[in-house]
Amino acid sequence: MSNNNFIVRKAAVLGAGVMGAQIAAHLVNANVETLLFELPGKQGDPNANVIKAVENLKKQEPAPLSVAARAACIQPANYDQHLELLRDCDIVIEAIAERVDWKTELYTKVAPYLGAHTIFASNTSGLSINQLAQAFPENLRHRFCGVHFFNPPRYMHLVELIACEGSDAAMLDDLEKFLVTYLGKGVIRAKDTPNFVANRVGMFSMLATMHHAREFGLGFDLVDALTGSLIGRAKSATFRTADVVGLDTLAHVINTMRDGLSADPWHRYYAAPDWLQGLIDSGALGQKSKRGVYQKVGKEIHVLDLATKEYRLAAGEADNDIKELLKRKSPAEKFSALRASEHPQAQFLWAMYRDLFHYCAVHLAAIADNARDLDLAMRWGFGWNLGPFEIWQAAGWSQIAGWINEDIAAGKSMSATPLPAWVLEADRSGVHAAQGSYAPAAKTQRPRSTLPVYRRQLFPDRLLGEETQYGTTIFETDAVRMWHTGDDIAIVSFKSKMHTIGSDVLDGVQQAIEEAEDNWRALVLWQTEPPFSAGANLQKATERLKSNEPPSALSLLARKLKKTAQAAVLKAARNLNLADALMAGKLAEVEAMVAQFQQTSQDLRYSMIPTVAAVDGLALGGGCEFVMHCDRAVATLESYIGLVEVGVGLLPAGGGCKEFALRAARKAKDGDPFPLLKNYFQTVATAQMAKSAEQAKELGYLRPADLVVMNRFELLHAAKAQAVALAEAGYRPPLQNRNIPVAGSTGIATIKSMLVNMLEGGFISEHDYLIGSKVAHVMCGGDLTPGSLVDETWFLELERAAFIELLATEKTQARVEYMLKTGKPLRN
């Protein structure tokens, strides 16, 4: 059945509920023509139900659509009028309610309309795929399987792929390729058992946590404080996650385990706790009903108290001693301390982990092919930093196994079932190793998939025991590393926290460009972990301003600043008192770094070899400016790009304002850049951050020629391919534009009039007005006659001067300091 080129031209989703509509949204995010089916409306437009669902997509947060305009790409359909359209679909995904009878009825209805090669997949979260397959004619079952997306489908990396007994192996391989590359997912092949892998383990983990919370008398808010980011899990932890999922949905998943796993040693725990059922019966379903385990009262968050059955202020916090214990670097020491401690919070955590490890070991062979699949399922589907087996292995496999056995023997564990024999093998130090992960059914280490699609993942999501060496080093400093993977494309990666950009990173990038020009065909900027870059290192800049030491910038100034700028600073220093002279010197140091930043951006633009920015996650401020100056950007869909300096009282000064002015001038009609420039001004002045790579194109941060990839683990492969393509085309840098028309004084005046109205209306402060005016002054090219021609250096000098003028103000310094301390903007 498999073709060398398996292409999905058109898809259909059956069911316009929460999951169905969001799966359709993600398909159009991937540029797949998509039909969304639902029952016909009882009156009026037969497609009313789908139209309403699509409209709701535009309002949801986090946004299911990469850009709101993609909603128009979803074609509404209903079962009465449009079944014939299914014949042209390469894949049909069923996503209706989790009832076998309803699904069976739908399959019977649509089966006669499927194309000769259509793949039909059920997005069930836990029903038997083999049972569902019985609703299909026997001659179609080879094209049937389960494909379980996690909610929300755009953002959750995990998709479980589940075969039925008749599923065609080549069809499954084709579908896996589509899911991985075109939808950007991490695929796990799950066995056809209730709730598959992630929900099976995740639901048990929640049930075990609930059980031990009651045993140790811990409140829901305290449990969430203990089981969230403190132990490397999602911030929503346990009970907030339950509210987000929906308490009724949670109960349904629990019931699926109860009904389908009667022989399970932990079966007696597969029941919704009485308090959970009570909330559901009262209509408290969690976030969707605005009341569940938690509820918001005014601005306060309240939590259900089991003792009183009433809500109280949520104030649970982990004990400081437990926090310190959990910060220990050695997992072995951490778990030893947890088990030995008499503190209820420590005992709770040990019991929770013990029963999770025990459960995973006993059930691994039944639910997954190998330990890697289980661990990745929990990482990708539940947001855990490490999977259960990774944690166990890091903490000392044999020691933990011995402690679990002791607790089983003492009757402390939730089940008396013994650990499997393979766990206790004398030479076993874990399940993950360089050669693969343990597969208990085969009694061997299973290597990663050899499907061709995975050749695109040069550095896949690695597990404990799979240490990754990122290529061969070309040179390395404290701030950057330049390296290669055995070909002639050089890669540079930052080593700073959040990949922020200071003088040391700028030095490293400049050195990398020089090295690449001498010995390599192209240069790719790629980080081994997201984000791409959180921007300029404001901490260092403000430290320089606050330092009591005399400035040490004169040598740096001589090298980085024009002589005129240096002379002006020195003249000011001579004529002012000592305090003012010191401030002038400190500002000069910052200005030198800004000048260095601008030069680095220009070097990326005008180097003699192609430069490619490979973007994943945040690319803010200076990081965005690097992206804008590279010859090409390749960005994952989940790239959040923006010039956000205005948020801290500054403006983009690494070439960002210049670049927008240049782009507006290139597209100017009749030599007037202002019609486009005013949109770019609004983007900069409101510190807009694109919430997807597609939106970054709409805002102008990315260009039409820049590429969007769906899978972050394929990003480097795609970026290198672009670098090769540019080099193969006989790359030459663009000629510097020395005749850029400016919007000038008229553009500035137009923008200022808008700012005055906002100031008088109380929408912005006086300092906001000052910042906006500076941005307008720079982007419009200063007080020149409209249409005057300038070069890039002109804009860069305006940027630099305005940046320093704003940084010298007390209000901007206060904004920067407040952001560094709180992570929130200050409006003063």
Side-chain angles (χ1 to χ4, degrees), residues 409-449:
K412 294 180 179 179
S413 59
M414 292 171 67
S415 169
T417 301
L419 286 168
W422 63 265
V423 172
L424 303 171
E425 290 169 351
D427 59 346
R428 180 165 298 283
S429 59
V431 290
H432 302 303
Q435 64 270 34
S437 296
Y438 188 68
K443 298 182 179 179
T444 187
Q445 298 294 121
R446 185 83 73 196
R448 286 180 177 263
S449 172

mmCIF file of all heavy atoms in Angstrom, residues 409-449:
data_model
loop_
_atom_site.group_PDB
_atom_site.id
_atom_site.type_symbol
_atom_site.label_atom_id
_atom_site.label_comp_id
_atom_site.label_asym_id
_atom_site.label_seq_id
_atom_site.Cartn_x
_atom_site.Cartn_y
_atom_site.Cartn_z
ATOM 1 N N ALA A 409 6.771 -5.890 50.719
ATOM 2 C CA ALA A 409 6.766 -6.901 51.782
ATOM 3 C C ALA A 409 6.144 -6.366 53.072
ATOM 4 O O ALA A 409 5.492 -7.113 53.820
ATOM 5 C CB ALA A 409 8.193 -7.378 52.048
ATOM 6 N N ALA A 410 6.321 -5.081 53.318
ATOM 7 C CA ALA A 410 5.792 -4.473 54.547
ATOM 8 C C ALA A 410 4.338 -4.039 54.397
ATOM 9 O O ALA A 410 3.752 -3.507 55.347
ATOM 10 C CB ALA A 410 6.660 -3.273 54.933
ATOM 11 N N GLY A 411 3.752 -4.241 53.210
ATOM 12 C CA GLY A 411 2.358 -3.874 52.982
ATOM 13 C C GLY A 411 2.126 -2.385 52.814
ATOM 14 O O GLY A 411 1.000 -1.902 52.966
ATOM 15 N N LYS A 412 3.177 -1.640 52.485
ATOM 16 C CA LYS A 412 3.041 -0.194 52.343
ATOM 17 C C LYS A 412 2.632 0.227 50.936
ATOM 18 O O LYS A 412 2.091 1.310 50.745
ATOM 19 C CB LYS A 412 4.360 0.495 52.705
ATOM 20 C CG LYS A 412 4.769 0.352 54.161
ATOM 21 C CD LYS A 412 6.093 1.075 54.423
ATOM 22 C CE LYS A 412 6.517 0.956 55.887
ATOM 23 N NZ LYS A 412 7.808 1.644 56.128
ATOM 24 N N SER A 413 2.908 -0.607 49.961
ATOM 25 C CA SER A 413 2.631 -0.239 48.572
ATOM 26 C C SER A 413 1.149 -0.431 48.261
ATOM 27 O O SER A 413 0.433 -1.149 48.965
ATOM 28 C CB SER A 413 3.484 -1.079 47.626
ATOM 29 O OG SER A 413 3.225 -2.448 47.810
ATOM 30 N N MET A 414 0.695 0.175 47.188
ATOM 31 C CA MET A 414 -0.712 0.090 46.817
ATOM 32 C C MET A 414 -1.086 -1.294 46.303
ATOM 33 O O MET A 414 -2.261 -1.662 46.295
ATOM 34 C CB MET A 414 -1.041 1.160 45.760
ATOM 35 C CG MET A 414 -0.981 2.589 46.285
ATOM 36 S SD MET A 414 -1.129 3.855 44.972
ATOM 37 C CE MET A 414 -2.820 3.621 44.425
ATOM 38 N N SER A 415 -0.108 -2.062 45.849
ATOM 39 C CA SER A 415 -0.360 -3.431 45.377
ATOM 40 C C SER A 415 0.727 -4.349 45.907
ATOM 41 O O SER A 415 1.888 -3.942 46.050
ATOM 42 C CB SER A 415 -0.376 -3.472 43.849
ATOM 43 O OG SER A 415 -0.374 -4.797 43.370
ATOM 44 N N ALA A 416 0.345 -5.595 46.171
ATOM 45 C CA ALA A 416 1.312 -6.587 46.651
ATOM 46 C C ALA A 416 1.961 -7.356 45.507
ATOM 47 O O ALA A 416 2.786 -8.251 45.744
ATOM 48 C CB ALA A 416 0.616 -7.575 47.587
ATOM 49 N N THR A 417 1.643 -7.043 44.277
ATOM 50 C CA THR A 417 2.216 -7.732 43.117
ATOM 51 C C THR A 417 3.725 -7.562 43.104
ATOM 52 O O THR A 417 4.235 -6.446 43.235
ATOM 53 C CB THR A 417 1.631 -7.155 41.814
ATOM 54 O OG1 THR A 417 0.221 -7.311 41.836
ATOM 55 C CG2 THR A 417 2.201 -7.864 40.598
ATOM 56 N N PRO A 418 4.469 -8.654 42.947
ATOM 57 C CA PRO A 418 5.927 -8.539 42.953
ATOM 58 C C PRO A 418 6.453 -7.822 41.708
ATOM 59 O O PRO A 418 5.794 -7.802 40.663
ATOM 60 C CB PRO A 418 6.404 -9.993 42.985
ATOM 61 C CG PRO A 418 5.268 -10.783 42.429
ATOM 62 C CD PRO A 418 4.020 -10.060 42.830
ATOM 63 N N LEU A 419 7.621 -7.238 41.820
ATOM 64 C CA LEU A 419 8.276 -6.641 40.664
ATOM 65 C C LEU A 419 8.621 -7.729 39.644
ATOM 66 O O LEU A 419 8.943 -8.858 40.034
ATOM 67 C CB LEU A 419 9.559 -5.924 41.079
ATOM 68 C CG LEU A 419 9.402 -4.590 41.816
ATOM 69 C CD1 LEU A 419 10.736 -4.163 42.413
ATOM 70 C CD2 LEU A 419 8.869 -3.509 40.881
ATOM 71 N N PRO A 420 8.577 -7.441 38.349
ATOM 72 C CA PRO A 420 8.967 -8.436 37.345
ATOM 73 C C PRO A 420 10.419 -8.864 37.530
ATOM 74 O O PRO A 420 11.252 -8.079 38.025
ATOM 75 C CB PRO A 420 8.782 -7.689 36.015
ATOM 76 C CG PRO A 420 7.883 -6.547 36.321
ATOM 77 C CD PRO A 420 8.146 -6.172 37.739
ATOM 78 N N ALA A 421 10.726 -10.065 37.103
ATOM 79 C CA ALA A 421 12.074 -10.604 37.296
ATOM 80 C C ALA A 421 13.141 -9.758 36.614
ATOM 81 O O ALA A 421 14.252 -9.597 37.128
ATOM 82 C CB ALA A 421 12.124 -12.043 36.774
ATOM 83 N N TRP A 422 12.798 -9.189 35.441
ATOM 84 C CA TRP A 422 13.819 -8.420 34.709
ATOM 85 C C TRP A 422 14.285 -7.202 35.497
ATOM 86 O O TRP A 422 15.435 -6.765 35.358
ATOM 87 C CB TRP A 422 13.318 -8.012 33.328
ATOM 88 C CG TRP A 422 12.123 -7.096 33.295
ATOM 89 C CD1 TRP A 422 10.826 -7.447 33.169
ATOM 90 C CD2 TRP A 422 12.144 -5.663 33.373
ATOM 91 N NE1 TRP A 422 10.008 -6.338 33.166
ATOM 92 C CE2 TRP A 422 10.796 -5.222 33.282
ATOM 93 C CE3 TRP A 422 13.145 -4.709 33.505
ATOM 94 C CZ2 TRP A 422 10.436 -3.874 33.330
ATOM 95 C CZ3 TRP A 422 12.796 -3.360 33.557
ATOM 96 C CH2 TRP A 422 11.465 -2.954 33.465
ATOM 97 N N VAL A 423 13.411 -6.650 36.339
ATOM 98 C CA VAL A 423 13.779 -5.475 37.128
ATOM 99 C C VAL A 423 14.910 -5.802 38.096
ATOM 100 O O VAL A 423 15.784 -4.966 38.361
ATOM 101 C CB VAL A 423 12.551 -4.961 37.914
ATOM 102 C CG1 VAL A 423 12.950 -3.865 38.903
ATOM 103 C CG2 VAL A 423 11.479 -4.459 36.961
ATOM 104 N N LEU A 424 14.909 -7.038 38.599
ATOM 105 C CA LEU A 424 15.826 -7.429 39.673
ATOM 106 C C LEU A 424 17.064 -8.160 39.176
ATOM 107 O O LEU A 424 17.819 -8.703 39.982
ATOM 108 C CB LEU A 424 15.069 -8.304 40.674
ATOM 109 C CG LEU A 424 13.813 -7.650 41.284
ATOM 110 C CD1 LEU A 424 13.005 -8.669 42.080
ATOM 111 C CD2 LEU A 424 14.190 -6.465 42.150
ATOM 112 N N GLU A 425 17.283 -8.196 37.868
ATOM 113 C CA GLU A 425 18.478 -8.857 37.332
ATOM 114 C C GLU A 425 19.727 -8.238 37.939
ATOM 115 O O GLU A 425 19.841 -7.006 38.059
ATOM 116 C CB GLU A 425 18.507 -8.739 35.811
ATOM 117 C CG GLU A 425 17.423 -9.573 35.134
ATOM 118 C CD GLU A 425 17.273 -9.262 33.659
ATOM 119 O OE1 GLU A 425 17.891 -8.277 33.187
ATOM 120 O OE2 GLU A 425 16.527 -9.994 32.981
ATOM 121 N N ALA A 426 20.675 -9.058 38.292
ATOM 122 C CA ALA A 426 21.834 -8.608 39.060
ATOM 123 C C ALA A 426 22.666 -7.554 38.341
ATOM 124 O O ALA A 426 23.224 -6.648 38.968
ATOM 125 C CB ALA A 426 22.713 -9.815 39.398
ATOM 126 N N ASP A 427 22.756 -7.657 37.021
ATOM 127 C CA ASP A 427 23.600 -6.722 36.280
ATOM 128 C C ASP A 427 22.831 -5.524 35.729
ATOM 129 O O ASP A 427 23.356 -4.744 34.947
ATOM 130 C CB ASP A 427 24.300 -7.440 35.125
ATOM 131 C CG ASP A 427 23.303 -8.066 34.148
ATOM 132 O OD1 ASP A 427 22.117 -8.175 34.502
ATOM 133 O OD2 ASP A 427 23.727 -8.445 33.039
ATOM 134 N N ARG A 428 21.576 -5.379 36.139
ATOM 135 C CA ARG A 428 20.768 -4.285 35.582
ATOM 136 C C ARG A 428 21.035 -2.976 36.338
ATOM 137 O O ARG A 428 20.896 -2.896 37.539
ATOM 138 C CB ARG A 428 19.284 -4.628 35.645
ATOM 139 C CG ARG A 428 18.395 -3.499 35.065
ATOM 140 C CD ARG A 428 16.987 -3.958 34.801
ATOM 141 N NE ARG A 428 16.947 -5.022 33.812
ATOM 142 C CZ ARG A 428 17.080 -4.829 32.499
ATOM 143 N NH1 ARG A 428 17.297 -3.617 32.036
ATOM 144 N NH2 ARG A 428 17.028 -5.850 31.670
ATOM 145 N N SER A 429 21.395 -1.944 35.571
ATOM 146 C CA SER A 429 21.600 -0.616 36.157
ATOM 147 C C SER A 429 20.552 0.368 35.653
ATOM 148 O O SER A 429 20.614 1.552 35.971
ATOM 149 C CB SER A 429 22.993 -0.091 35.799
ATOM 150 O OG SER A 429 23.159 -0.014 34.391
ATOM 151 N N GLY A 430 19.613 -0.133 34.852
ATOM 152 C CA GLY A 430 18.559 0.716 34.334
ATOM 153 C C GLY A 430 17.936 0.114 33.090
ATOM 154 O O GLY A 430 18.116 -1.083 32.809
ATOM 155 N N VAL A 431 17.207 0.941 32.346
ATOM 156 C CA VAL A 431 16.543 0.459 31.130
ATOM 157 C C VAL A 431 17.020 1.174 29.877
ATOM 158 O O VAL A 431 16.798 0.702 28.771
ATOM 159 C CB VAL A 431 15.009 0.599 31.241
ATOM 160 C CG1 VAL A 431 14.436 -0.379 32.245
ATOM 161 C CG2 VAL A 431 14.617 2.030 31.590
ATOM 162 N N HIS A 432 17.650 2.324 30.048
ATOM 163 C CA HIS A 432 18.101 3.106 28.894
ATOM 164 C C HIS A 432 19.616 3.036 28.789
ATOM 165 O O HIS A 432 20.329 3.217 29.779
ATOM 166 C CB HIS A 432 17.687 4.565 29.029
ATOM 167 C CG HIS A 432 16.211 4.774 29.183
ATOM 168 N ND1 HIS A 432 15.302 4.318 28.263
ATOM 169 C CD2 HIS A 432 15.487 5.391 30.156
ATOM 170 C CE1 HIS A 432 14.077 4.644 28.661
ATOM 171 N NE2 HIS A 432 14.162 5.292 29.807
ATOM 172 N N ALA A 433 20.097 2.780 27.585
ATOM 173 C CA ALA A 433 21.529 2.746 27.334
ATOM 174 C C ALA A 433 21.782 3.221 25.905
ATOM 175 O O ALA A 433 20.841 3.443 25.135
ATOM 176 C CB ALA A 433 22.066 1.331 27.525
ATOM 177 N N ALA A 434 23.055 3.371 25.561
ATOM 178 C CA ALA A 434 23.401 3.882 24.235
ATOM 179 C C ALA A 434 22.828 3.012 23.121
ATOM 180 O O ALA A 434 22.450 3.511 22.056
ATOM 181 C CB ALA A 434 24.915 3.980 24.107
ATOM 182 N N GLN A 435 22.738 1.709 23.359
ATOM 183 C CA GLN A 435 22.261 0.807 22.307
ATOM 184 C C GLN A 435 20.747 0.715 22.215
ATOM 185 O O GLN A 435 20.217 0.075 21.317
ATOM 186 C CB GLN A 435 22.844 -0.595 22.477
ATOM 187 C CG GLN A 435 22.432 -1.334 23.735
ATOM 188 C CD GLN A 435 23.368 -1.096 24.912
ATOM 189 O OE1 GLN A 435 23.917 -0.009 25.043
ATOM 190 N NE2 GLN A 435 23.557 -2.112 25.738
ATOM 191 N N GLY A 436 20.028 1.369 23.136
ATOM 192 C CA GLY A 436 18.572 1.360 23.073
ATOM 193 C C GLY A 436 17.942 1.267 24.445
ATOM 194 O O GLY A 436 18.615 1.411 25.472
ATOM 195 N N SER A 437 16.637 1.017 24.462
ATOM 196 C CA SER A 437 15.875 0.930 25.712
ATOM 197 C C SER A 437 15.266 -0.453 25.845
ATOM 198 O O SER A 437 14.889 -1.086 24.844
ATOM 199 C CB SER A 437 14.773 2.000 25.740
ATOM 200 O OG SER A 437 15.335 3.295 25.730
ATOM 201 N N TYR A 438 15.127 -0.906 27.079
ATOM 202 C CA TYR A 438 14.736 -2.293 27.332
ATOM 203 C C TYR A 438 13.306 -2.568 26.875
ATOM 204 O O TYR A 438 12.380 -1.817 27.166
ATOM 205 C CB TYR A 438 14.874 -2.627 28.815
ATOM 206 C CG TYR A 438 14.678 -4.099 29.098
ATOM 207 C CD1 TYR A 438 15.610 -5.029 28.658
ATOM 208 C CD2 TYR A 438 13.559 -4.555 29.776
ATOM 209 C CE1 TYR A 438 15.437 -6.392 28.904
ATOM 210 C CE2 TYR A 438 13.370 -5.906 30.032
ATOM 211 C CZ TYR A 438 14.320 -6.822 29.583
ATOM 212 O OH TYR A 438 14.145 -8.160 29.813
ATOM 213 N N ALA A 439 13.168 -3.675 26.133
ATOM 214 C CA ALA A 439 11.865 -4.169 25.681
ATOM 215 C C ALA A 439 11.616 -5.497 26.379
ATOM 216 O O ALA A 439 12.219 -6.515 26.015
ATOM 217 C CB ALA A 439 11.852 -4.353 24.165
ATOM 218 N N PRO A 440 10.767 -5.538 27.400
ATOM 219 C CA PRO A 440 10.634 -6.761 28.212
ATOM 220 C C PRO A 440 10.101 -7.962 27.449
ATOM 221 O O PRO A 440 10.525 -9.095 27.724
ATOM 222 C CB PRO A 440 9.668 -6.329 29.332
ATOM 223 C CG PRO A 440 8.994 -5.101 28.833
ATOM 224 C CD PRO A 440 9.953 -4.429 27.927
ATOM 225 N N ALA A 441 9.208 -7.760 26.472
ATOM 226 C CA ALA A 441 8.674 -8.900 25.731
ATOM 227 C C ALA A 441 9.771 -9.586 24.914
ATOM 228 O O ALA A 441 9.824 -10.814 24.814
ATOM 229 C CB ALA A 441 7.529 -8.456 24.823
ATOM 230 N N ALA A 442 10.661 -8.775 24.331
ATOM 231 C CA ALA A 442 11.758 -9.321 23.526
ATOM 232 C C ALA A 442 13.002 -9.592 24.352
ATOM 233 O O ALA A 442 13.952 -10.219 23.866
ATOM 234 C CB ALA A 442 12.091 -8.354 22.401
ATOM 235 N N LYS A 443 13.029 -9.120 25.588
ATOM 236 C CA LYS A 443 14.173 -9.283 26.490
ATOM 237 C C LYS A 443 15.460 -8.747 25.861
ATOM 238 O O LYS A 443 16.509 -9.405 25.886
ATOM 239 C CB LYS A 443 14.337 -10.750 26.900
ATOM 240 C CG LYS A 443 13.144 -11.296 27.671
ATOM 241 C CD LYS A 443 13.368 -12.740 28.095
ATOM 242 C CE LYS A 443 12.155 -13.256 28.882
ATOM 243 N NZ LYS A 443 12.327 -14.676 29.293
ATOM 244 N N THR A 444 15.358 -7.558 25.289
ATOM 245 C CA THR A 444 16.519 -6.965 24.624
ATOM 246 C C THR A 444 16.420 -5.448 24.678
ATOM 247 O O THR A 444 15.360 -4.896 25.008
ATOM 248 C CB THR A 444 16.593 -7.424 23.154
ATOM 249 O OG1 THR A 444 17.809 -6.961 22.579
ATOM 250 C CG2 THR A 444 15.425 -6.876 22.344
ATOM 251 N N GLN A 445 17.524 -4.778 24.363
ATOM 252 C CA GLN A 445 17.530 -3.328 24.248
ATOM 253 C C GLN A 445 17.042 -2.961 22.848
ATOM 254 O O GLN A 445 17.632 -3.389 21.857
ATOM 255 C CB GLN A 445 18.927 -2.752 24.478
ATOM 256 C CG GLN A 445 19.509 -3.019 25.850
ATOM 257 C CD GLN A 445 18.756 -2.339 26.974
ATOM 258 O OE1 GLN A 445 18.257 -3.001 27.886
ATOM 259 N NE2 GLN A 445 18.671 -1.026 26.914
ATOM 260 N N ARG A 446 15.978 -2.190 22.768
ATOM 261 C CA ARG A 446 15.385 -1.850 21.484
ATOM 262 C C ARG A 446 15.923 -0.507 20.997
ATOM 263 O O ARG A 446 15.738 0.517 21.651
ATOM 264 C CB ARG A 446 13.872 -1.758 21.611
ATOM 265 C CG ARG A 446 13.155 -1.523 20.291
ATOM 266 C CD ARG A 446 12.952 -2.809 19.537
ATOM 267 N NE ARG A 446 11.912 -3.608 20.168
ATOM 268 C CZ ARG A 446 11.718 -4.900 19.917
ATOM 269 N NH1 ARG A 446 12.509 -5.530 19.054
ATOM 270 N NH2 ARG A 446 10.742 -5.568 20.516
ATOM 271 N N PRO A 447 16.608 -0.477 19.839
ATOM 272 C CA PRO A 447 17.081 0.806 19.314
ATOM 273 C C PRO A 447 15.920 1.654 18.812
ATOM 274 O O PRO A 447 14.789 1.176 18.691
ATOM 275 C CB PRO A 447 18.003 0.401 18.160
ATOM 276 C CG PRO A 447 17.506 -0.942 17.732
ATOM 277 C CD PRO A 447 16.984 -1.610 18.971
ATOM 278 N N ARG A 448 16.208 2.898 18.483
ATOM 279 C CA ARG A 448 15.179 3.788 17.973
ATOM 280 C C ARG A 448 14.705 3.346 16.588
ATOM 281 O O ARG A 448 15.387 2.580 15.900
ATOM 282 C CB ARG A 448 15.701 5.230 17.900
ATOM 283 C CG ARG A 448 15.815 5.896 19.269
ATOM 284 C CD ARG A 448 16.336 7.309 19.142
ATOM 285 N NE ARG A 448 16.386 7.969 20.453
ATOM 286 C CZ ARG A 448 15.458 8.770 20.925
ATOM 287 N NH1 ARG A 448 14.375 9.009 20.207
ATOM 288 N NH2 ARG A 448 15.581 9.335 22.109
ATOM 289 N N SER A 449 13.565 3.851 16.181
ATOM 290 C CA SER A 449 12.972 3.506 14.893
ATOM 291 C C SER A 449 13.934 3.820 13.755
ATOM 292 O O SER A 449 14.636 4.839 13.771
ATOM 293 C CB SER A 449 11.672 4.280 14.685
ATOM 294 O OG SER A 449 11.188 4.106 13.373
#
